[in-house]
Amino acid sequence: MNLDPGILCFNHCGCQVFCLELPEICPVCRKHLNESETIVPFRVPYPFVRAKQYPCSVLLKPTNGDFLNNFRISQDLHIGVTTSKGIVIEFDNGGLRKDRTESWSQCLLVNQLEDDAWKSHWDDTLEEMAQQNCWTPEKYNEDTFNCYTFVLFFVRCLHYSNMSSAAASREKFCSTFVTPRTIVACKYIALYRQLKDFGYHVVHDPRTDKVTALLLPSK
């Protein structure tokens, strides 16, 4: 199932107009967008991915619900990793889990292994961690021994590029890899919800609009 809502953007009257469906009338000048005009809409990049399509990756999703419809900034995010086969390995109050990959259908890609030669090492490291008896429901603590604990420990054990060095602390890892992705995601979510409520969003000066700067590719 494709979860991309398909946000469109087109230029008219010197403005950029975001919408889910092309309108018949321009919301800025109120003129009909007839076939004689050159309206070339493009699709805004969808920031979320399906975990099973991203093997050897670190990913984020809301603890409850999904990003587009349920997520609020004050809510916690859940983090997990995929094997080379795209199976999600995660740690929560039920212990170490690998049976909920399908629930990771709308998540943020934090980072992905780029060197295929490391795939076996990635899987071997995950397997070694899974055999440790510390990832149990009894050991889980929402604040001090949680999903981030598991992922950061795994990433440190990989000894893979700057991702492993950043995992020395949760703060460093989040500022380097997590925060930049969540900022873009939150802008996309806010835009999507505005379009659901009002039908369109108009940017009068794309050079200064934060949504445009974060979501659209630079020319």
PDB file of all heavy atoms in Angstrom, residues 161-179:
ATOM      1  N   SER A 161      32.347   3.881  10.297  1.00  0.00           N
ATOM      2  CA  SER A 161      32.435   5.300   9.930  1.00  0.00           C
ATOM      3  C   SER A 161      32.031   6.232  11.074  1.00  0.00           C
ATOM      4  O   SER A 161      32.122   5.902  12.251  1.00  0.00           O
ATOM      5  CB  SER A 161      31.595   5.572   8.673  1.00  0.00           C
ATOM      6  OG  SER A 161      30.224   5.460   8.952  1.00  0.00           O
ATOM      7  N   ASN A 162      31.570   7.428  10.699  1.00  0.00           N
ATOM      8  CA  ASN A 162      31.219   8.429  11.716  1.00  0.00           C
ATOM      9  C   ASN A 162      29.923   8.098  12.434  1.00  0.00           C
ATOM     10  O   ASN A 162      29.632   8.679  13.482  1.00  0.00           O
ATOM     11  CB  ASN A 162      31.118   9.817  11.074  1.00  0.00           C
ATOM     12  CG  ASN A 162      30.006   9.904  10.037  1.00  0.00           C
ATOM     13  OD1 ASN A 162      29.684   8.914   9.390  1.00  0.00           O
ATOM     14  ND2 ASN A 162      29.445  11.092   9.855  1.00  0.00           N
ATOM     15  N   MET A 163      29.140   7.162  11.907  1.00  0.00           N
ATOM     16  CA  MET A 163      27.914   6.778  12.585  1.00  0.00           C
ATOM     17  C   MET A 163      28.234   6.119  13.931  1.00  0.00           C
ATOM     18  O   MET A 163      27.575   6.403  14.937  1.00  0.00           O
ATOM     19  CB  MET A 163      27.093   5.823  11.715  1.00  0.00           C
ATOM     20  CG  MET A 163      25.751   5.451  12.332  1.00  0.00           C
ATOM     21  SD  MET A 163      24.641   4.557  11.218  1.00  0.00           S
ATOM     22  CE  MET A 163      25.477   2.972  11.102  1.00  0.00           C
ATOM     23  N   SER A 164      29.240   5.276  13.961  1.00  0.00           N
ATOM     24  CA  SER A 164      29.608   4.615  15.211  1.00  0.00           C
ATOM     25  C   SER A 164      30.228   5.588  16.204  1.00  0.00           C
ATOM     26  O   SER A 164      29.980   5.508  17.410  1.00  0.00           O
ATOM     27  CB  SER A 164      30.573   3.460  14.935  1.00  0.00           C
ATOM     28  OG  SER A 164      29.915   2.408  14.250  1.00  0.00           O
ATOM     29  N   SER A 165      31.029   6.510  15.724  1.00  0.00           N
ATOM     30  CA  SER A 165      31.633   7.479  16.638  1.00  0.00           C
ATOM     31  C   SER A 165      30.576   8.404  17.225  1.00  0.00           C
ATOM     32  O   SER A 165      30.651   8.781  18.399  1.00  0.00           O
ATOM     33  CB  SER A 165      32.709   8.295  15.916  1.00  0.00           C
ATOM     34  OG  SER A 165      32.175   8.984  14.797  1.00  0.00           O
ATOM     35  N   ALA A 166      29.564   8.759  16.431  1.00  0.00           N
ATOM     36  CA  ALA A 166      28.494   9.619  16.931  1.00  0.00           C
ATOM     37  C   ALA A 166      27.645   8.904  17.982  1.00  0.00           C
ATOM     38  O   ALA A 166      27.031   9.542  18.843  1.00  0.00           O
ATOM     39  CB  ALA A 166      27.607  10.085  15.785  1.00  0.00           C
ATOM     40  N   ALA A 167      27.615   7.566  17.916  1.00  0.00           N
ATOM     41  CA  ALA A 167      26.804   6.781  18.850  1.00  0.00           C
ATOM     42  C   ALA A 167      27.422   6.705  20.244  1.00  0.00           C
ATOM     43  O   ALA A 167      26.865   6.063  21.133  1.00  0.00           O
ATOM     44  CB  ALA A 167      26.601   5.369  18.304  1.00  0.00           C
ATOM     45  N   ALA A 168      28.544   7.388  20.455  1.00  0.00           N
ATOM     46  CA  ALA A 168      29.153   7.413  21.778  1.00  0.00           C
ATOM     47  C   ALA A 168      28.205   8.042  22.802  1.00  0.00           C
ATOM     48  O   ALA A 168      28.264   7.731  23.986  1.00  0.00           O
ATOM     49  CB  ALA A 168      30.467   8.183  21.743  1.00  0.00           C
ATOM     50  N   SER A 169      27.325   8.920  22.324  1.00  0.00           N
ATOM     51  CA  SER A 169      26.312   9.504  23.204  1.00  0.00           C
ATOM     52  C   SER A 169      25.018   9.676  22.431  1.00  0.00           C
ATOM     53  O   SER A 169      25.035   9.911  21.217  1.00  0.00           O
ATOM     54  CB  SER A 169      26.763  10.852  23.761  1.00  0.00           C
ATOM     55  OG  SER A 169      26.691  11.864  22.777  1.00  0.00           O
ATOM     56  N   ARG A 170      23.905   9.573  23.145  1.00  0.00           N
ATOM     57  CA  ARG A 170      22.609   9.742  22.497  1.00  0.00           C
ATOM     58  C   ARG A 170      22.467  11.152  21.940  1.00  0.00           C
ATOM     59  O   ARG A 170      21.922  11.347  20.859  1.00  0.00           O
ATOM     60  CB  ARG A 170      21.491   9.452  23.499  1.00  0.00           C
ATOM     61  CG  ARG A 170      20.101   9.696  22.946  1.00  0.00           C
ATOM     62  CD  ARG A 170      19.019   9.178  23.863  1.00  0.00           C
ATOM     63  NE  ARG A 170      17.691   9.548  23.397  1.00  0.00           N
ATOM     64  CZ  ARG A 170      16.569   9.073  23.890  1.00  0.00           C
ATOM     65  NH1 ARG A 170      16.600   8.190  24.868  1.00  0.00           N
ATOM     66  NH2 ARG A 170      15.408   9.459  23.411  1.00  0.00           N
ATOM     67  N   GLU A 171      22.973  12.150  22.674  1.00  0.00           N
ATOM     68  CA  GLU A 171      22.856  13.535  22.242  1.00  0.00           C
ATOM     69  C   GLU A 171      23.594  13.763  20.921  1.00  0.00           C
ATOM     70  O   GLU A 171      23.070  14.406  20.006  1.00  0.00           O
ATOM     71  CB  GLU A 171      23.393  14.483  23.317  1.00  0.00           C
ATOM     72  CG  GLU A 171      22.576  14.541  24.590  1.00  0.00           C
ATOM     73  CD  GLU A 171      22.727  13.301  25.461  1.00  0.00           C
ATOM     74  OE1 GLU A 171      23.724  12.547  25.276  1.00  0.00           O
ATOM     75  OE2 GLU A 171      21.862  13.082  26.333  1.00  0.00           O
ATOM     76  N   LYS A 172      24.815  13.230  20.821  1.00  0.00           N
ATOM     77  CA  LYS A 172      25.594  13.400  19.600  1.00  0.00           C
ATOM     78  C   LYS A 172      24.939  12.682  18.432  1.00  0.00           C
ATOM     79  O   LYS A 172      24.854  13.225  17.316  1.00  0.00           O
ATOM     80  CB  LYS A 172      27.011  12.853  19.817  1.00  0.00           C
ATOM     81  CG  LYS A 172      27.916  12.905  18.585  1.00  0.00           C
ATOM     82  CD  LYS A 172      28.224  14.314  18.175  1.00  0.00           C
ATOM     83  CE  LYS A 172      29.241  14.348  17.051  1.00  0.00           C
ATOM     84  NZ  LYS A 172      29.520  15.729  16.566  1.00  0.00           N
ATOM     85  N   PHE A 173      24.462  11.472  18.660  1.00  0.00           N
ATOM     86  CA  PHE A 173      23.829  10.705  17.588  1.00  0.00           C
ATOM     87  C   PHE A 173      22.566  11.404  17.098  1.00  0.00           C
ATOM     88  O   PHE A 173      22.323  11.500  15.897  1.00  0.00           O
ATOM     89  CB  PHE A 173      23.494   9.300  18.085  1.00  0.00           C
ATOM     90  CG  PHE A 173      23.019   8.368  17.008  1.00  0.00           C
ATOM     91  CD1 PHE A 173      23.916   7.742  16.162  1.00  0.00           C
ATOM     92  CD2 PHE A 173      21.663   8.116  16.842  1.00  0.00           C
ATOM     93  CE1 PHE A 173      23.485   6.877  15.166  1.00  0.00           C
ATOM     94  CE2 PHE A 173      21.216   7.261  15.855  1.00  0.00           C
ATOM     95  CZ  PHE A 173      22.120   6.632  15.007  1.00  0.00           C
ATOM     96  N   CYS A 174      21.774  11.907  18.040  1.00  0.00           N
ATOM     97  CA  CYS A 174      20.529  12.575  17.667  1.00  0.00           C
ATOM     98  C   CYS A 174      20.793  13.863  16.893  1.00  0.00           C
ATOM     99  O   CYS A 174      20.149  14.132  15.884  1.00  0.00           O
ATOM    100  CB  CYS A 174      19.696  12.873  18.910  1.00  0.00           C
ATOM    101  SG  CYS A 174      18.893  11.422  19.616  1.00  0.00           S
ATOM    102  N   SER A 175      21.745  14.664  17.362  1.00  0.00           N
ATOM    103  CA  SER A 175      22.019  15.938  16.687  1.00  0.00           C
ATOM    104  C   SER A 175      22.605  15.721  15.291  1.00  0.00           C
ATOM    105  O   SER A 175      22.364  16.520  14.381  1.00  0.00           O
ATOM    106  CB  SER A 175      22.979  16.788  17.531  1.00  0.00           C
ATOM    107  OG  SER A 175      24.240  16.153  17.677  1.00  0.00           O
ATOM    108  N   THR A 176      23.358  14.633  15.110  1.00  0.00           N
ATOM    109  CA  THR A 176      24.003  14.372  13.825  1.00  0.00           C
ATOM    110  C   THR A 176      23.083  13.684  12.826  1.00  0.00           C
ATOM    111  O   THR A 176      23.048  14.052  11.638  1.00  0.00           O
ATOM    112  CB  THR A 176      25.259  13.501  14.019  1.00  0.00           C
ATOM    113  OG1 THR A 176      26.143  14.131  14.954  1.00  0.00           O
ATOM    114  CG2 THR A 176      25.995  13.297  12.705  1.00  0.00           C
ATOM    115  N   PHE A 177      22.321  12.699  13.285  1.00  0.00           N
ATOM    116  CA  PHE A 177      21.548  11.873  12.363  1.00  0.00           C
ATOM    117  C   PHE A 177      20.027  12.007  12.506  1.00  0.00           C
ATOM    118  O   PHE A 177      19.309  11.940  11.516  1.00  0.00           O
ATOM    119  CB  PHE A 177      21.935  10.397  12.535  1.00  0.00           C
ATOM    120  CG  PHE A 177      23.331  10.084  12.104  1.00  0.00           C
ATOM    121  CD1 PHE A 177      24.355   9.954  13.028  1.00  0.00           C
ATOM    122  CD2 PHE A 177      23.637   9.928  10.763  1.00  0.00           C
ATOM    123  CE1 PHE A 177      25.651   9.670  12.635  1.00  0.00           C
ATOM    124  CE2 PHE A 177      24.935   9.644  10.347  1.00  0.00           C
ATOM    125  CZ  PHE A 177      25.947   9.519  11.280  1.00  0.00           C
ATOM    126  N   VAL A 178      19.541  12.154  13.732  1.00  0.00           N
ATOM    127  CA  VAL A 178      18.095  12.120  13.950  1.00  0.00           C
ATOM    128  C   VAL A 178      17.434  13.473  13.723  1.00  0.00           C
ATOM    129  O   VAL A 178      16.455  13.593  12.974  1.00  0.00           O
ATOM    130  CB  VAL A 178      17.785  11.600  15.373  1.00  0.00           C
ATOM    131  CG1 VAL A 178      16.282  11.667  15.641  1.00  0.00           C
ATOM    132  CG2 VAL A 178      18.301  10.177  15.536  1.00  0.00           C
ATOM    133  N   THR A 179      17.949  14.513  14.357  1.00  0.00           N
ATOM    134  CA  THR A 179      17.305  15.827  14.305  1.00  0.00           C
ATOM    135  C   THR A 179      17.133  16.363  12.885  1.00  0.00           C
ATOM    136  O   THR A 179      16.045  16.857  12.541  1.00  0.00           O
ATOM    137  CB  THR A 179      18.078  16.844  15.163  1.00  0.00           C
ATOM    138  OG1 THR A 179      18.116  16.368  16.519  1.00  0.00           O
ATOM    139  CG2 THR A 179      17.406  18.201  15.127  1.00  0.00           C
TER     140      THR A 179
END
